Amino acid sequence: MGEVTRIPMTIGGQAVDAGSALDVVNPATEAVWAAAPAASAGDVDHAFATAAEAQVAWAHDDAARRKALRAIVDVLAQNMPELAALLTAECGKTLHDSELEIQGTAAWFAYFADLEVAWREVIDAGSVTGVRRPLGVVAAITPWNFPLALASWKLAPALRAGNTVVLKPSPYTPMATLRLGQLLADVLPAGVLNVISGGDDVGIEMTLHPGAAKVSFTGSVEAGKAVAAAVAPDLKRLTLELGGNDPAIVLDDADPLATAQGLFNGGFYNNGQVCGAVKRVYVPESLYPAVAGELARIADSKVVGDGTDPASELGPVQNAAQFDRVQRLLNAALADGAKAVAGGQRVGDRGYFLRPTVLTEVHAGQAIVEEEQFGPVLPLVPYTDVADALRQANDTKFGLGASVWGANRGRLEEVALGIEAGTVWFNNHAVNNGPHVPFGGRKWSGIGIENGLEGLNSFTHLQVLYGDLAD
Ligand code: NAD
């Protein structure tokens, strides 16, 4: 076997290796292709110390911050092929999707660079002014499905608001983020962005670290709850973007063919490994055969393969544990009477490949309906009464996204307003209009909002000044 790829951490603008390393597996080949530093407790301390040192000067000059964020956009464009190759090797997604992710990442930095922000607001003219102040050092922790894009949701607003950051990617997908840290050392003052890598233990140390003023976390509900508990004794500020089990409710006046296409796009993008993907579909009995048939046809037409092969449309599931979990949920449903009208089986015996799978004859109570599968298996639940479908859609602790499909705007809105979810799409699902649109979950799907001005404000505190200020 050839040499594995190694990329150091970036702490205080310097390359830092760790005493030990984590293996990184390519999900298309199951080969260990890279090694990421496993940060020690000393490395974590070092990262927070250098971030704190850099923060005062960084907070001072908004024009410099805007310029730096703009420079990040250029760095991403200039290094697109290398970063895309790293993303594909670690995530499994196609090179095309990796490029889209990097373009999205750049769009987030561009938006927050260009955003006109009123850091001061007059509350009572001549006597009371509100000033948006940075929090200090932000601990940012990301999952494995969109390592760079989800990092940018935190970095761009946190940095623009004058905070400095310690960022840790998932141990499954650390390489593109580590490389980004290296590249950005050329355009950011030392210590403004520190990228460290390691297992969940490093994430835990970050959430407990006294140097972190805020934790911005994206990941599973289970880990999110642990993070909330970890920050409580210190009352750190907290944003949680967690899992979802998004329902799609198809109404009886929906166009079955267009709906099936939209459901496929919203359910299988990135192999369903999207927090806000369609994860269960409620279909009226009258449309059930047409929607199921068309979804199966589309699923069967997809080419599943290594993300580096230009013919591939869907790559592998990202990691072995997730692959096992999705297969376990699938097999339990099949054993309980569900039918795979498309897919249902693994592809080959190397790499975590699963055909996009459409399940019919499923019902409430099955794990594939109740849990977040986070993979390429979509259950279709038949219904006769829309009020009952809505009740089932809400009968969950999740509340990230949802969608309603049909022809009548008034009905779509009425159903949408009845769904307990942070985002509801009409005749679409999981599309993202960009960094200006707020995003956040209800119930166990999250606390707080990312993106837009509200997202930026979550990286500030509002200081109220009493006095007759100069401007
Ligand atoms: P995960 O929770 O296992 O890990 C996410 C990150 O948290 C990793 O970097 C991990 O090392 C770290 N971590 C794990 N336990 C921790 C702890 N106790 N304290 C601090 N850090 C800890 O999640 P995952 O499996 O990488 O990602 C998949 C999950 O993320 C899915 O549930 C998905 O829905 C969710 N997700 C949510 C959003 C959103 O915006 N709402 C976006 C993408 C993914």
Side-chain angles (χ1 to χ4, degrees), residues 141-145 168 200 203 217-220 223 241-243 275 372:
I141 301 174
T142 50
W144 47 256
N145 56 345
K168 187 196 88 72
D200 297 351
F217 176 88
T218 302
S220 61
E241 292 287 1
L242 306 178
C275 53
E372 179 185 37

Side-chain angles (χ1 to χ4, degrees), residues 141-146 150 153-154 168-172 198-207 215 217-227 230 240-244 273-276 279 319 322 372 374 398 400 439-441 445-446 450:
I141 301 174
T142 50
W144 47 256
N145 56 345
F146 296 96
L150 294 175
W153 287 25
K154 307 181 184 312
K168 187 196 88 72
S170 164
Y172 291 114
D200 297 351
D201 53 318
V202 175
I204 292 170
E205 283 171 31
M206 291 168 69
T207 60
V215 176
F217 176 88
T218 302
S220 61
V221 168
E222 191 188 2
K225 288 183 182 180
V227 170
L240 296 175
E241 292 287 1
L242 306 178
Q273 301 168 126
V274 179
C275 53
K279 299 201 172 118
N319 64 70
Q322 185 61 18
E372 179 185 37
F374 215 61
F398 293 104
L400 195 58
F439 184 78
S445 287
E450 290 196 289

Side-chain angles (χ1 to χ4, degrees), residues 451-466:
N451 306 331
L453 187 58
E454 199 157 344
L456 178 93
N457 283 343
S458 77
F459 288 102
T460 68
H461 69 95
L462 183 64
Q463 187 172 44
V464 176
L465 301 179
Y466 273 77

Side-chain angles (χ1 to χ4, degrees), residues 301-319:
S301 75
K302 296 294 162 185
V303 179
V304 177
D306 191 314
T308 58
D309 180 344
S312 299
E313 294 169 280
L314 291 170
V317 171
Q318 196 280 323
N319 64 70

Side-chain angles (χ1 to χ4, degrees), residues 211-252:
K214 166 165 182 153
V215 176
S216 180
F217 176 88
T218 302
S220 61
V221 168
E222 191 188 2
K225 288 183 182 180
V227 170
V231 304
D234 195 28
L235 295 179
K236 291 180 171 59
R237 276 36 188 165
L238 180 65
T239 299
L240 296 175
E241 292 287 1
L242 306 178
N245 190 16
D246 288 16
I249 301 180
V250 181
L251 302 179
D252 57 11

Side-chain angles (χ1 to χ4, degrees), residues 243-266:
N245 190 16
D246 288 16
I249 301 180
V250 181
L251 302 179
D252 57 11
D253 59 355
D255 169 354
L257 299 188
T259 298
Q261 183 65 60
L263 289 170
F264 186 87
N265 298 344

Side-chain angles (χ1 to χ4, degrees), residues 25 31 63 85 95 122 131 140 231 240 266 301 320 324 329 350 367 392 408 412 428 438:
V25 172
L95 278 170
V122 174
V131 188
V231 304
L240 296 175
S301 75
D324 290 348
L329 290 170
R350 178 164 290 269
Q392 291 187 54
N408 180 303
L412 290 173
N428 225 325

Side-chain angles (χ1 to χ4, degrees), residues 32 38 101 123 135 167 177 212 235 267 287:
V32 173
E101 179 172 344
I123 295 169
L135 295 170
L167 168 66
T177 310
L235 295 179
L287 295 182

